[in-house]
């Protein structure tokens, strides 16, 4: 295989992310969202909500993280936020997936891209924490638009949302959690 | 509406791009590709094929162009590459769509993002020409993977592909056209 053959083999494999379905629906509730279009939507969130990032956040790198962040789901599947899972088991599956999928690339490109995904997963830098915040912030925006979405499907309470979603949004983008919390409270008040 | 309300209104409107269908299918031919997941795939093409860009190409800006490039299709629809259309009419529809859709944003964000889309559309800079080349290069890669895809649907010849697709790939990424042309020729030879 030539260098370009390997690059295209990786890009063809990545196409499978368009068939990985998430618990969240489209804003019009017509169908489940897939992880590829979700990833695109998040890159647009990063462009449009860059003013919510702290001074140490590198938005260009946030966007790269969001492009790559769900590729491992091709092998490991999507883990719905409100499902109770063995986090260590999911992490091990995702590491194995990263080995296989980034392993399709020429070694120099894999060495450039995999650390971006690892940084996102570790969530220790302001850049990764902002990217994670957006990844947690978009599903409630979809649920508010669709009239409940995965909150209804998983029958969750505001406390569960605050614990599973709110803490990570607040850590990376406190202004977005202040906004989401208020809208979520209003939604639950009108739905009860 | 607060500033954040406007940002979210734009992001909710953008969700509709997930329901705009293209002539190209997924690599496994299971269904038509939508313009949101296509946009994500292109950002990944930019990350992985950055070594095919000339020295004056700004890859971070290429990625921003590709995130934004199809938003106008929410109003104007997708224009299949092999359909014969009135280019001036399509351009006018897309400008009106850009007015409406970018107009949902706070003015300072619209003023930052719309020029990125305009630069892509005008295709006069090396950065925009590389972004356009990727937008033309991905559909033949999907068609090769799926066994013909939109080439079969539109019954096109290699000459038509070279004229409609090849010229724009070659202008922005000559190495990718050399690669695609060879694979397309082999596909048509084996299919005839």
């Amino acid at each position: 295989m030539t260098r370009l053959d390997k690059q295209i083999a990786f890009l063809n494999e990545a196409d499978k992310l368009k068939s990985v379905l998430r618990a969240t629906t489209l804003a019009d509730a017509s169908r489940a969202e897939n992880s590829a279009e979700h990833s695109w939507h998040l890159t647009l969130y990063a462009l449009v909500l860059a003013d919510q990032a702290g001074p140490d956040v590198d938005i260009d790198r946030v966007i790269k993280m969001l492009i790559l962040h769900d590729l491992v789901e091709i092998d490991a599947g999507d883990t719905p936020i409100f499902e109770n899972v063995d986090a260590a088991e999911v992490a091990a599956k995702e590491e194995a997936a990263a080995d296989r999928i980034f392993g399709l690339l020429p070694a120099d490109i894999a060495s450039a891209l995999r650390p971006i995904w690892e940084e996102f997963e570790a969530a220790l830098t302001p850049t990764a924490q902002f990217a994670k915040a957006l990844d947690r912030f978009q599903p409630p925006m979809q649920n508010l638009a669709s009239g409940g979405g995965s909150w209804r499907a998983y029958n969750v309470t505001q406390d569960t949302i605050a614990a599973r979603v709110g803490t990570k949004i607040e850590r990376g983008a406190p202004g977005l959690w202040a906004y989401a919390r208020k809208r979520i409270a209003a939604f639950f008040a009108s739905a009860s």
Side-chain angles (χ1 to χ4, degrees), chain A:
Chain A
M1 279 176 104
T2 67
R3 179 174 172 86
L4 258 174
D5 284 335
K6 287 184 192 170
Q7 288 161 291
I8 301 304
F10 171 87
L11 290 166
N12 283 348
E13 183 67 20
D15 197 74
K16 294 180 182 165
L17 197 60
K18 300 169 188 170
S19 301
V20 174
L21 299 184
R22 296 169 43 79
T24 315
T25 68
L26 300 195
D28 67 5
S30 58
R31 63 167 171 82
E33 189 185 35
N34 72 58
S35 292
E37 62 199 4
H38 161 74
S39 298
W40 166 76
H41 209 178
L42 286 183
T43 62
L44 193 62
Y45 269 66
L47 276 184
V48 163
L49 297 171
D51 60 353
Q52 293 287 331
D56 297 331
V57 172
D58 175 347
I59 286 289
D60 288 336
R61 193 165 172 91
V62 166
I63 289 172
K64 287 175 187 143
M65 285 179 184
L66 295 171
I67 294 168
L68 299 170
H69 83 294
D70 273 347
L71 277 177
V72 292
E73 294 185 357
I74 289 169
D75 288 355
D78 178 61
T79 305
I81 297 168
F82 299 116
E83 229 156 71
N84 293 310
V85 295
D86 181 333
E89 195 186 312
V90 171
K93 260 195 209 169
E94 293 188 347
E95 283 293 329
D99 287 346
R100 185 186 75 77
I101 296 165
F102 287 109
L104 297 170
L105 285 165
D108 62 309
I109 302 178
S111 301
L113 298 187
R114 182 159 176 171
I116 299 174
W117 175 75
E118 300 279 2
E119 183 183 338
F120 173 82
E121 282 297 303
L124 296 172
T125 62
T127 295
Q129 290 174 351
F130 186 68
K132 282 267 178 194
L134 295 180
D135 189 31
R136 286 292 185 279
F137 178 68
Q138 184 253 11
M141 293 303 107
Q142 297 292 107
N143 284 348
L144 288 169
S146 69
S150 64
W151 296 332
R152 289 194 197 279
Y154 286 88
N155 196 24
V156 297
T157 64
Q158 285 185 75
D159 285 350
T160 306
I161 297 170
R164 297 273 176 112
V165 173
T167 48
K168 285 186 184 159
I169 301 175
E170 191 163 34
R171 181 184 61 182
L176 293 183
W177 178 236
Y179 175 83
R181 193 181 43 199
K182 227 161 65 178
R183 288 197 54 195
I184 292 165
F187 172 83
F188 276 84
S190 73
S192 68

